[in-house]
């Protein structure tokens, strides 16, 4: 686990590259930030050393967060919406091209494009926001204490402690819900949004599969093909990942060869710190199509 953790942290250390020549009227060149209304910056990130057959989407989500944070250091990532048009290669670094569309006193909007030689592997629309005061209210269900150690699960791509309310590898039909508790090793709070974005990509497809009798996430590549097509994360409040976080998620829909899932992230005191949603391809082989089962 420690090697995977170090590997992930290395992936978050993006390197600034020379920027492309400025467009007419933009002013400036190189990696130094030009005028806010025309900023274009480029970063490069290494890939995780995994046996996975393509780039893990969580890595791309985490690196998008880091690219935006480095490009706009005076503001925090408020929301991230990512599209995945093609699979990325694990044997080639990813180049992140960030462009500022607007920067005001408290808000900013950036686009970030992830490229490899084959072309664009993912695109992100990123909204940034400077901290400011105002009313503070939420309406969410209460949070129970973290699950006990006997609920500990090993999720191969998450190099930290996780405890789950359900077994996503079980083929028995169950409601499409999952409570996943997570806690990373000690980590720089500035990396928390990237680390959380990484974690949100892993278990929503498995959650969507739960109502389908006789199939689970273990059947990926055999009974069905899956791939994330879009993923969104909203960050509401500051948080740390080296303290317990609850990822409370639910999948309301599997239809037309796709699945949809969403979740909230809460601290042990019940504070809602982030939310996320995902759509994915979920294509079953005709002979393996499961029958819908009651979820209660």
């Amino acid at each position: 686990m420690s090697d995977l953790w170090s590997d992930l942290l290395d992936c978050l250390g993006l390197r600034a590259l020379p920027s492309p020549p400025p467009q007419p009227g933009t002013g400036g060149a190189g990696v130094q930030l030009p005028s806010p209304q025309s900023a274009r910056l480029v970063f490069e990130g290494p890939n995780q050393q995994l046996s996975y057959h393509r780039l893990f989407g969580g890595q791309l989500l985490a690196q998008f967060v880091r690219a935006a944070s480095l490009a706009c250091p005076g503001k925090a990532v408020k929301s991230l919406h990512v599209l995945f048009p093609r699979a990325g290669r694990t044997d080639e670094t990813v180049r992140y091209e960030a462009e500022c569309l607007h920067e005001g006193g408290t808000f900013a909007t950036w686009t970030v494009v992830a490229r490899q030689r084959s072309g664009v592997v993912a695109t992100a629309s990123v909204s940034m926001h400077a901290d400011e005061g105002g009313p503070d209210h939420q309406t969410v269900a209460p949070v129970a204490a973290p699950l006990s150690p006997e609920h500990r699960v090993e999720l191969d791509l998450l190099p930290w402690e996780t405890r789950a309310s359900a077994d996503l590898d079980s083929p028995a039909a169950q409601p499409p819900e999952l409570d996943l508790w997570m806690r990373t090793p000690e980590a720089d709070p500035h990396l928390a949004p990237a680390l959380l974005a990484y974690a949100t990509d892993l278990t929503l497809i498995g959650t969507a599969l739960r109502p389908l009798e006789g199939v689970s996430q273990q059947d990926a590549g055999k009974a069905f093909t899956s791939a994330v097509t879009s993923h969104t994360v909203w960050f509401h409040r500051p948080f740390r990942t080296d303290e317990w976080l609850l990822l409370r998620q639910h999948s309301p829909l599997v239809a037309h060869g796709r699945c949809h899932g969403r979740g909230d992230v809460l601290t042990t005191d019940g504070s809602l710190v982030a939310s996320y949603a995902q759509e994915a391809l979920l294509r079953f082989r005709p002979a393996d199509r499961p029958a819908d089962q009651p979820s209660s």
Side-chain angles (χ1 to χ4, degrees), residues 173-187:
Q174 296 291 335
E177 300 169 353
L178 179 72
D179 281 358
L180 179 69
W181 285 94
M182 59 164 270
R183 181 175 60 182
T184 72
E186 185 174 355

Side-chain angles (χ1 to χ4, degrees), residues 249-266:
Q249 57 189 42
H250 168 70
S251 173
L253 182 71
V254 173
H256 298 288
R258 305 190 305 273
C259 62
H260 173 71
R262 52 202 184 214
D264 287 331
V265 184
L266 302 111

Side-chain angles (χ1 to χ4, degrees), residues 190-204:
H190 292 96
L191 298 180
L195 292 170
L196 180 61
Y198 177 91
T200 63
D201 186 50
L202 191 59
T203 52
L204 278 171

Side-chain angles (χ1 to χ4, degrees), residues 28-292:
V31 298
Q32 296 300 314
L33 192 68
S35 72
Q37 301 300 328
S38 58
R40 302 177 72 232
L41 300 173
V42 181
F43 304 93
E44 185 177 62
N47 299 325
Q48 291 179 279
Q49 302 302 306
L50 304 174
S51 57
Y52 206 52
H53 61 283
R54 61 177 180 245
L55 284 183
F56 174 47
Q59 175 197 308
L60 292 167
L61 292 171
Q63 289 179 326
F64 273 130
V65 171
R66 291 303 299 149
S69 299
L70 292 169
C72 189
K75 298 178 175 66
V77 175
K78 176 180 72 69
S79 66
L80 174 83
H81 181 66
V82 179
L83 300 178
F84 299 93
R86 62 161 56 85
R89 295 176 57 92
T90 59
D91 58 354
E92 182 185 344
T93 58
V94 182
R95 176 185 174 97
Y96 292 89
E97 301 172 355
E99 182 173 2
C100 182
L101 303 182
H102 168 76
E103 180 151 6
T106 55
F107 286 92
T109 303
W110 286 72
T111 61
V112 187
V113 177
R115 293 184 186 273
Q116 292 184 317
R117 283 193 297 269
S118 60
V120 175
V121 297
T123 66
S125 297
V126 188
S127 179
M128 315 287 290
H129 186 214
D131 185 42
E132 59 181 290
D136 193 326
H137 173 75
Q138 67 177 49
T139 304
V140 295
V143 174
L147 293 168
S148 55
E150 58 262 31
H151 292 277
R152 184 165 182 163
V153 294
E154 297 294 335
L155 299 174
D156 290 343
L157 294 176
L158 296 187
W160 49 70
E161 186 174 3
T162 51
R163 300 176 186 178
S165 63
D167 180 7
L168 294 184
D169 294 335
S170 171
Q174 296 291 335
E177 300 169 353
L178 179 72
D179 281 358
L180 179 69
W181 285 94
M182 59 164 270
R183 181 175 60 182
T184 72
E186 185 174 355
D188 184 340
H190 292 96
L191 298 180
L195 292 170
L196 180 61
Y198 177 91
T200 63
D201 186 50
L202 191 59
T203 52
L204 278 171
I205 294 175
T207 302
L209 289 167
R210 296 198 72 216
L212 306 181
E213 182 71 40
V215 66
S216 77
Q217 63 181 9
Q218 290 284 82
D219 298 304
K222 295 174 288 187
F224 65 87
T225 299
S226 63
V228 176
T229 55
S230 64
H231 193 101
T232 299
V233 187
W234 296 267
F235 298 100
H236 310 309
R237 295 181 171 118
F239 60 92
R240 298 184 64 99
T241 58
D242 49 15
E243 298 174 350
W244 282 111
L245 293 173
L246 169 62
L247 280 64
R248 178 187 284 164
Q249 57 189 42
H250 168 70
S251 173
L253 182 71
V254 173
H256 298 288
R258 305 190 305 273
C259 62
H260 173 71
R262 52 202 184 214
D264 287 331
V265 184
L266 302 111
T267 61
T268 54
D269 65 2
S271 178
L272 178 63
V273 297
S275 301
Y276 56 100
Q278 181 185 91
E279 182 191 69
L281 166 74
L282 187 61
R283 183 177 292 150
F284 284 85
R285 297 176 182 176
D288 296 316
R289 293 186 190 277
D292 290 342

